[in-house]
Amino acid sequence: MDTDQSVVLPHRFTSRPSGATLLKLRCARARAGRPFGTDAVAQLTADGLLGQVLWSTTCTAADVSAANFQQLRDSGLFLTEVNLNGVAGDPAQVRELVLAVQVLRSLGILVEYDLDLFAGTPRFAGVRDKVAMLRAMVGDGSTPAYFTTAAIEADCSPWLAGYRQRLDPAVQPWLGAGGLSQQLADAWAEILLAERLLLGLRGGAAHRIALQRLTLRSNTELLNLVTTSAREFEMSGGTQLLDDELVGPRAELLSQTMLALRNRFWAANTPAAPQRPTACGE
């Protein structure tokens, strides 16, 4: 295991006597006869930390197998950042990615990823490929859809540059600081970590179903917005689909629904959870 203080996340559930420290660990790539994550589990065992901490790591879709990651989950793995490099536009890799995400979420492991919609060789076709990959990956509503829209550094068509400028503010209700995708990710982390810490929350199954339905609605709205607006912009050099008066009310309704859902769940669990899990320093 390769780790240092720079990758240790100092999060702790401070209001719980059974609190858990969350660590981010680097795992060596899988080798023959030595499955992914073996080094991390061995080091946690040697340090007397196995069963005492929850940990996260980064992997590729090819690293994921149901049997191995169930063992890692039982050893404290709670979150995996999946590397998406080179996946978009390759049907075989997209299928492998979808299967990996399904395995991770079925095991109760949170999934994170990093995707710049306009990175690489920016083309409208590339945007379509990345959105199609995201749609397949988050299609069951168990993982929020998100991406970044950083300034395009490579040469591209003026229309694509103009589209990015229009898209960036339009998707902020989902992707900005505290946006809907982040709220959904936090809500999934709350329920999963509470279950892993055996806090005995009431209504967890019903909350999961409602959260999954809302996540699916949010993902669909966001990805449909990108797909339809990109198609229109590519054909005509402009679109009204990204206008705030069209996007704002839909995003606001989803945000209000998200807030009401979380408030109901935590209000029902106030006796069992006097304080929602928070990170140190918040």
Side-chain angles (χ1 to χ4, degrees):
M1 178 178 62
D2 178 15
T3 184
D4 55 47
Q5 290 300 313
S6 67
V7 296
V8 173
L9 306 182
H11 291 184
R12 183 181 296 274
F13 290 89
T14 56
S15 64
R16 299 289 166 195
S18 58
T21 298
L22 311 184
L23 304 179
K24 183 175 182 180
L25 308 179
R26 297 191 184 102
C27 294
R29 300 304 305 274
R31 299 188 296 276
R34 189 174 177 82
F36 180 86
T38 302
D39 54 336
V41 174
Q43 189 62 54
L44 289 171
T45 302
D47 292 342
L49 294 176
L50 193 66
Q52 307 301 314
V53 300
L54 299 177
W55 55 283
S56 67
T57 193
T58 301
C59 73
T60 67
D63 293 322
V64 177
S65 68
N68 182 43
F69 271 73
Q70 181 171 345
Q71 294 178 341
L72 297 181
R73 188 274 314 275
D74 294 342
S75 299
L77 178 64
F78 80 100
L79 182 151
T80 296
E81 181 179 345
V82 181
N83 189 324
L84 304 184
N85 289 342
V87 175
D90 185 325
Q93 290 198 58
V94 170
R95 288 193 295 271
E96 183 177 50
L97 172 65
V98 171
L99 179 59
V101 172
Q102 290 174 345
V103 167
L104 293 169
R105 295 302 287 124
S106 70
L107 293 173
I109 298 172
L110 292 170
V111 175
E112 288 187 350
Y113 53 91
D114 185 21
L115 179 66
D116 185 343
L117 206 60
F118 298 95
T121 304
R123 300 286 188 274
F124 277 104
V127 172
R128 287 194 297 271
D129 287 342
K130 290 178 180 179
V131 172
M133 176 187 66
L134 269 183
R135 195 183 296 275
M137 184 173 69
V138 303
D140 66 351
S142 66
T143 303
Y146 51 89
F147 51 83
T148 58
T149 54
I152 300 174
E153 298 182 358
D155 292 336
C156 69
S157 72
W159 279 12
L160 184 63
Y163 175 66
R164 191 207 68 82
Q165 291 178 342
R166 288 291 316 281
L167 180 67
D168 182 70
V171 296
Q172 290 309 299
W174 283 270
L175 307 179
L180 185 58
S181 290
Q182 184 59 58
Q183 293 177 47
L184 288 165
D186 290 345
W188 278 112
E190 286 173 350
I191 184 65
L192 184 145
L193 290 174
E195 291 174 347
R196 292 289 289 269
L197 293 175
L198 304 177
L199 300 186
L201 299 181
R202 294 187 295 274
H207 183 64
R208 275 177 170 270
I209 293 172
L211 186 57
Q212 186 168 6
R213 289 173 177 170
L214 181 58
T215 304
L216 180 57
R217 283 178 57 193
S218 175
N219 292 349
T220 301
E221 284 274 4
L222 175 61
L223 298 181
N224 283 352
L225 176 65
V226 178
T227 299
T228 55
S229 63
R231 182 187 305 116
E232 187 169 298
F233 210 104
E234 184 179 18
M235 294 177 62
S236 65
T239 181
Q240 294 182 328
L241 297 175
L242 301 175
D243 290 353
D244 184 64
E245 57 265 28
L246 296 178
V247 177
R250 305 205 305 266
E252 179 62 23
L253 177 60
L254 290 169
S255 294
Q256 291 177 359
T257 305
M258 175 75 260
L259 180 61
L261 178 64
R262 293 176 80 181
N263 284 344
R264 284 196 302 270
F265 179 64
W266 288 109
N269 284 280
T270 299
Q275 179 178 332
R276 287 195 292 117
T278 58
C280 288
E282 289 187 351

